[in-house]
Amino acid sequence: MLKVENLTMVYPDGTVALRDVSFEVNEGEFLGIIGLSGSGKSTLLRCINRLLEPTEGRILWNGEDITHLDQSDLRPVRREMGMIFQNFNLVRRSSVMVNVLAGRLGYTPPSWSLINRFSAEDRQKAVQALTRVGIPDKAQNRADELSGGQQQRVGIARALMQEPKMILADEPVASLDPVLAHSILGHLEDLNQQDGITVLCSLHFLDLVQRYSTRVIGLRAGQVVFEGGKEDIRKISDERFKQIYGEEAQRLETD
Amino acid sequence: MMEPQASTKQPSSPLHAFLSFLVPGLGQLVAGRRSRGTTILLSVLILGALSVWTIAQRARFPDYGASLLIFLKIFGQTLLLLIFLMALRRLMARYIFRDAVAEAFSGYGLAVVYLILVVMLTSNIVTLAGTSLDIREVHGLTGVLAAAILSGLWLWQASDAGRVASLPEKSPDPSMTLAIILICLLIFALGYNITNVDLGKAISEIDDFSRLLPDILWPWEQAFEYDQQVVEATQRVQAPCPPGDVGPAPNEPHSTDPWLSATPTCGDLGEREIVGGFIPGTEMTLTGGNFPPGQVVEILWRNPIGNPFTPRGVGETEILVDQNGEFTSTLAIPDVVISESTAQGAQIHTIVARQSSEEVFTGNLSEEMILALQLMLETIMIGLMATFFGIVLAFPVAFLAARNIMAPIVSTLRRITGNIVGLAAGIWLAAFVTRQVSIMLGGLEAAPILIFVVLLVTVFGLGSLGFQLGGTLFARILRALSPGLQKAFITGLLAAMAAVPGYFIGLAFSRGIRSIVLGAEAAAADEMLYAYLGAGLFALLAAVYSLRRSGDEYISIGMIIYGTVRTLMNIVRSIEPIIWGIVAVIWVGLGPFAGTFALTIHTVAALGKLYSEAIESIDPGPLEALQSTGANRLQTVVYAVIPQILPPFISFTIYRWDINVRMSTILGLVGGGGIGFILIQWIRLYQWESVGIAVWLITITVATLDYVSSNIRERFV
């Protein structure tokens, strides 16, 4: 479904964030991405939907090369990829409803957006999405009145509005406490299993990775250093995982 | 050798101190303290120049050479005095007081003693030094003081050079407290002089002001109309009276109306001698009747050109009317100046007997009050309209001046060229269409608003269409050409496009700066040369820029636009609205539109800056989130940027509205309409009660606005 080939990303200041990254994602997978902060997880996810322009390499989406699409051709591709963020990235002063409806913007004619117009159908969808994540009563609240966990649910509802084939989740639970983390990841798992939405999710708690992922890739200094299926994760002992993490951490320190 | 000093004195380098004594800051520079040395050199130079200038300005006829000599004389004398004092201190420390007292006497103590001595001694020294005039009288004490303080600074920096030279390298610079105090003192002294501070005047001439104060503080009598019944009767008389003339006939008593009669009606004018005082003219008997009894009749004299005045020293001018409504009195002809140009034929004067009733309050507003109210409304409207236009124009400008919005906008040179050509073509087409429409409608005067709207719509529509089409088409067409041809094409087009603004900038240079320097006519003679020169220069720059880049290269056009818009805004903003008011009055003529125009210009720049800063400080997260949903740039702005910037926008807008109304009260001073327009006229006519009304209205409006705007802003922030 998604194929990343030899992706390299160099920031204008010369930082090499990704170095020759290649991997494939199959339909219906829950792919966990692990790595220390600064290892390139966020950059990778943002390159996939072209929020960042990769320097080299190709991104194939259902066989189509989307690496050099211009803005107008990118639109239909982007709306098939929902994205949720570590800091939720809601418009804090807008209502929950408007935040969720914003997920439909990829389908709405731009000129209509000038007058704040969404179809009744879209509004219906938004209520359904909010019901699905369990906060239908918060629709008229301002986004910044919600707790962190609730805000992330709004983020998921917004992504749902895109009717996505894939969800990119950039550290979705890093700003939440562990109990809420399970709740949010539970929603993602639900989408993965019930709706067959492919999920790419960067995480840094090993137990969460083990609990939810069907496959894992590990990134270190912009390179893929580990790749394994669901069985591999189960087999890997905590110790082995810690070894990978620990060693990298030490090597980073001595660099 | 003497025994070494017991106090822990820092070692000092005499060489560096000497260098700095010769040229201030040199010692520090040589010692490697570059910024300290430069600062000192610049401070001493600037302050020295300012002091000389101040001394020169104090003299009735500025003579900078003489002032410099005077300055140097005082400077040298106080420098010597200071050196003497320091030597004295050192000697005393060594032989008399030893350490404890010497320490107490050092540093700031010495500085204070020095300043006191300088103020006491310099004046004497200066007069002793043989200047032909007493310097204090001609130049004030400020010059003396300035030179004296500067000499202290001079010595301080010399000793400072010695001190810093002996410090280890790379150690932080020692504090400059003493120098900063001296500099502040000096600047204060100069400022006191330059701004002509005269505290004595503020107290001794307070009467001039306090006489007006009641009128301005309580002008409300002037705000209403009062009715007054006036009963008047007149008698014509002739003066001077050449032999043979008899003058106008005396009035006969009337049966019902008030009447005034005089005998004789022909006489000689009174004369005012330079020595010997006043000689009254021919004495006349006045009689009158049918006036309301028991009240006072006022006698006025109206000269041949019709100006009335109360004749003084020639008889009673306030006469009580008796029971029958009659009065009798005598009046000598006063001295009336008759200008030669009107002194032809018989000079007919008029005596007026006038009886005025008490003033009756009518409850109507006076003309002045109505005018002030009307203009106050106009003032508020000027502020409102300027704010409105300002918002509309500043909103798009703010996005062009926001770094976070503009920075991601990059495009290829090929595409940009296409965009510019397309945009130019679109605007040209829009102008063409508008002209056709305007001809169809029967000229600009027939339907100005409609034509303006047509212009706006076509410029926006065709411009953006041309921009898009040009960009896409050009990119397609040019990509098909060979690289060499492509480059030549792009270069040619860019050069041609750049030549247009170059032409106008050249013209503006000639009409602006050159005509100021050379005079308008001399500059106008060859202004076209400069226009072509500007066009050529810009075309050349554009060509060089284009040749050094390939058509595929990405150019951060966003940042280029950002920089240009920012610079323009900063220039416009740094020019005060009242100066824009003068420009606008020349441009669109006197009246409220000029004020609105001027304020709008300034508001766009000021609000544009505030708005763009609000945009720059938004949270980029939602932008990113909306981009990832497939929203395009416009949708991202509507859903992610605008909700975030709305509160600061509202706050800034109200703040600006507040400023605009306050500004529009004074824009009238330069003819920009509003209450300032009439206020300055009333001030010039010394109509202090009317002035009071205007001041009151302005105060009430501004205070109300202040309260309202801060209230609204609190609600949004």
Side-chain angles (χ1 to χ4, degrees), chain B residues 228-248:
Chain B
Q228 204 173 33
Q229 298 287 329
V230 177
V231 178
E232 215 176 74
T234 56
Q235 167 70 58
R236 283 145 53 83
V237 292
Q238 183 187 341
C241 194
D245 279 16
V246 288

Side-chain angles (χ1 to χ4, degrees), chain A residues 46 75 89 93 108 113 116 118, chain B residues 621 624 627 630 635 639 647:
Chain A
R46 280 170 173 73
R75 196 169 144 93
N89 285 357
R93 293 184 56 87
T108 323
S113 307
N116 252 330
F118 287 101
Chain B
E624 186 183 53
Q627 266 181 345
Q635 289 174 319
Y639 282 93

Side-chain angles (χ1 to χ4, degrees), chain B residues 239-488:
Chain B
C241 194
D245 279 16
V246 288
N251 291 329
E252 293 301 318
H254 198 275
S255 55
T256 50
D257 291 349
W259 56 271
L260 176 71
S261 177
T263 47
T265 55
C266 189
D268 295 320
L269 287 169
E271 276 177 60
R272 194 170 291 278
E273 309 261 309
I274 296 173
V275 189
F278 177 63
I279 305 163
T282 310
E283 194 167 82
M284 298 178 295
T285 307
L286 299 180
T287 46
N290 279 333
F291 283 92
Q295 289 176 24
V296 170
V297 163
E298 187 188 356
I299 302 293
L300 295 173
W301 192 278
R302 206 179 282 160
N303 69 10
I305 54 173
N307 291 334
F309 61 94
T310 306
R312 306 234 178 246
V314 286
E316 269 188 88
T317 55
E318 286 182 358
I319 309 151
L320 193 68
V321 179
D322 67 13
Q323 297 295 314
N324 305 321
E326 290 173 1
F327 69 88
T328 313
S329 166
T330 56
L331 184 75
I333 297 176
D335 61 322
V336 181
V337 179
I338 295 165
S339 65
E340 276 178 38
S341 60
T342 54
Q344 285 169 359
Q347 297 295 316
I348 305 297
H349 306 249
T350 312
I351 305 167
V352 182
R354 176 190 286 169
Q355 215 177 29
S356 320
S357 69
E358 293 266 302
E359 290 188 340
V360 182
F361 182 66
T362 60
N364 294 329
L365 294 178
S366 69
E367 252 178 74
E368 285 84 358
M369 184 66 183
I370 291 169
L371 193 59
L373 283 172
Q374 276 173 351
L375 286 171
M376 198 62 232
L377 185 68
E378 188 179 287
T379 307
I380 296 171
M381 287 306 167
I382 290 174
L384 269 179
M385 290 309 283
T387 315
F388 174 75
F389 289 133
I391 297 168
V392 172
L393 295 171
F395 196 78
V397 170
F399 283 89
L400 295 180
R403 181 182 280 270
N404 55 343
I405 299 287
M406 296 309 280
I409 299 178
V410 292
S411 195
T412 56
L413 192 57
R414 190 162 47 208
R415 209 181 175 89
I416 295 171
T417 314
N419 288 142
I420 298 178
V421 173
L423 182 68
I427 290 176
W428 181 83
L429 200 64
F432 179 76
V433 169
T434 311
R435 188 164 297 155
Q436 294 309 311
V437 170
S438 144
I439 290 168
M440 241 165 56
L441 292 173
L444 185 63
E445 274 75 29
I449 294 174
L450 190 66
I451 289 169
F452 192 67
V453 170
V454 169
L455 180 71
L456 225 74
V457 170
T458 49
V459 163
F460 188 75
L462 292 174
S464 60
L465 189 73
F467 187 84
Q468 295 280 349
L469 267 181
T472 319
L473 282 180
F474 253 75
R476 293 266 152 84
I477 294 168
L478 284 177
R479 218 176 318 189
L481 296 176
S482 73
L485 209 57
Q486 198 186 105
K487 190 160 233 179

Side-chain angles (χ1 to χ4, degrees), chain B residues 173-196:
Chain B
D173 281 357
S175 87
M176 297 175 73
T177 318
L178 181 63
I180 290 169
I181 291 174
L182 284 176
I183 289 173
C184 287
L185 265 176
L186 182 50
I187 291 174
F188 180 79
L190 292 175
Y192 196 90
N193 196 301
I194 290 170
T195 56
N196 286 331

